[in-house]
Amino acid sequence: MSTDEFEGRLKALRPRLHRYCARMTGSAIDGEDILQDVLVKALHARAQGAGVDHLEGWLFRIAHNASLDFLRVRSRGTVVPLTEDIEAAPMPEADIVAISFQTFLRLPELQRCAVILKDVLGHSIDEIAGIAECSPAAAKSALQRGRAALRRLAQAPEDARLPLMPDAARRKIAAYVDLFQSGDFDAIRAMLADDVKLDLVNRLQLDGRDKIVPYFTRYAEVTKWRFALGAVEGRPAMLVFDSTAPMESPAHFVLIDWAENRITRIRDFLFAPYVLEAIDWVRLGQENDEDGH
């Protein structure tokens, strides 16, 4: 397989890998960070001459281990007590896709892995065992237990997820959104740090104030976008809606990092629509605010 073919396969598998990482970590945003790390590791391993017999399984093993490393560092996992080993039917795809990432996070790691790989991504028991590095019997048992636990958790009422953000953070993102709404991109450029970083997720990364100037120019040229203050997974965000389509949910979102009053990083998810699947979002500052998933 040539380098171009290899990179093409990585790009094609990116949404599937994100679905796994996001559900394993309980966050679409953290899942994207882990996914980028997975792709870097895969490209490095190939450059070092690593032999790969089954690319998808190999990538999911990397993604699985990277997700577990992330969870252990953050100590975010909450274990659900095991129930009796009953045979549980898979949940319909529409139902399982709608389950929030935080609900998946409440399953033990192996159960979470098995349910995601089997019922979300369609892997076989043997493939699950290979990715999780366990026996097929253990994978099957984890799948059965995970299905039963997930069905039970999905039926329980969820706690309201109101974004808790400091007033200063809210004021900064609100000002940023106001400037986008008014088209005052010169004012935004004046807020940029000299070494600001732009991450157009799944497309390109740029460093430095001068290099990212065209980013704002292109937004100014596209008239269909509508901007709103919001939060994604509790993080301050600019929600971007497509006025040519039903505006019931954002088309994408933008995250901003600050150092005092300077913008140090812009993460724009325009080219990563897969990240929107089942995320928690809320629109703020409107009388008719609508909660997302």
Side-chain angles (χ1 to χ4, degrees):
M1 184 186 303
S2 69
T3 299
D4 287 345
E5 290 174 329
F6 182 78
E7 292 180 356
R9 291 287 305 280
L10 291 185
K11 184 175 182 179
L13 287 168
R14 186 169 184 143
R16 286 173 59 79
L17 289 164
H18 180 267
R19 294 179 90 182
Y20 184 76
C21 295
R23 285 174 171 80
M24 282 297 292
T25 61
S27 165
I29 298 169
D30 291 336
E32 180 62 31
D33 288 338
I34 293 167
L35 171 56
Q36 292 192 28
D37 184 49
V38 169
L39 299 181
V40 168
K41 289 178 178 177
L43 290 168
H44 179 73
R46 177 177 170 79
Q48 297 299 312
V52 181
D53 293 329
H54 186 262
L55 178 61
E56 184 168 340
W58 178 68
L59 288 171
F60 272 99
R61 269 196 304 279
I62 297 174
H64 177 72
N65 291 327
S67 298
L68 295 186
D69 289 343
F70 173 88
L71 289 168
R72 286 162 186 159
V73 169
R74 295 290 183 91
S75 300
R76 290 173 56 181
T78 301
V79 175
V80 176
L82 294 179
T83 59
E84 62 276 9
D85 194 2
I86 61 173
E87 184 71 30
M91 298 181 70
E93 182 178 356
D95 291 345
I96 202 165
V97 168
I99 293 174
S100 75
F101 296 147
Q102 288 294 317
T103 300
F104 276 94
L105 191 59
R106 296 174 66 187
L107 295 178
E109 290 170 355
L110 184 55
Q111 292 182 21
R112 196 183 325 148
C113 166
V115 173
I116 297 168
L117 289 175
K118 179 65 174 176
D119 292 345
V120 178
L121 297 167
H123 287 258
S124 69
I125 291 294
D126 287 340
E127 288 171 333
I128 295 169
I131 291 167
E133 298 181 320
C134 66
S135 69
K140 183 176 181 180
S141 176
L143 175 63
Q144 294 170 350
R145 292 174 184 267
R147 282 173 170 170
L150 189 63
R151 192 179 298 274
R152 187 171 60 251
L153 290 168
Q155 292 173 348
E158 294 190 47
D159 295 334
R161 296 192 184 91
L162 295 177
L164 301 176
M165 63 181 76
D167 288 342
R170 184 180 180 121
R171 285 196 300 270
K172 286 177 180 178
I173 191 66
Y176 187 87
V177 172
D178 286 344
L179 292 172
F180 252 84
Q181 289 174 329
S182 64
D184 192 352
F185 297 109
D186 287 338
I188 294 177
R189 293 186 188 99
M191 298 162 65
L192 301 175
D194 290 337
D195 58 351
V196 62
K197 300 181 183 298
L198 170 66
D199 185 2
L200 279 173
V201 178
N202 198 26
R203 180 59 62 91
L204 60 83
Q205 295 179 328
L206 296 173
D207 293 344
R209 181 205 297 259
D210 293 340
K211 290 186 178 179
I212 75 169
V213 167
Y215 166 76
F216 300 105
T217 302
R218 294 195 179 99
Y219 260 113
E221 293 171 347
V222 180
T223 60
K224 69 177 181 178
W225 298 127
R226 300 292 181 268
F227 309 101
L229 171 64
V232 174
E233 298 180 351
R235 309 184 195 196
M238 181 172 75
L239 305 178
V240 186
F241 295 83
D242 183 350
S243 64
T244 65
M247 294 175 57
E248 298 173 352
S249 60
H252 63 281
F253 62 94
V254 181
L255 303 178
I256 306 295
D257 292 342
W258 304 80
E260 297 182 351
N261 293 318
R262 291 290 182 183
I263 296 171
T264 58
R265 188 185 185 195
I266 300 170
R267 297 190 70 195
D268 190 320
F269 289 80
L270 170 62
F271 297 106
Y274 53 82
V275 176
L276 290 170
E277 183 186 79
I279 63 168
D280 294 316
W281 65 274
V282 62
R283 183 170 178 171
L284 305 175
Q286 299 286 338
E287 292 182 1
N288 58 342
D289 284 351
E290 290 183 309
D291 287 344
H293 295 283

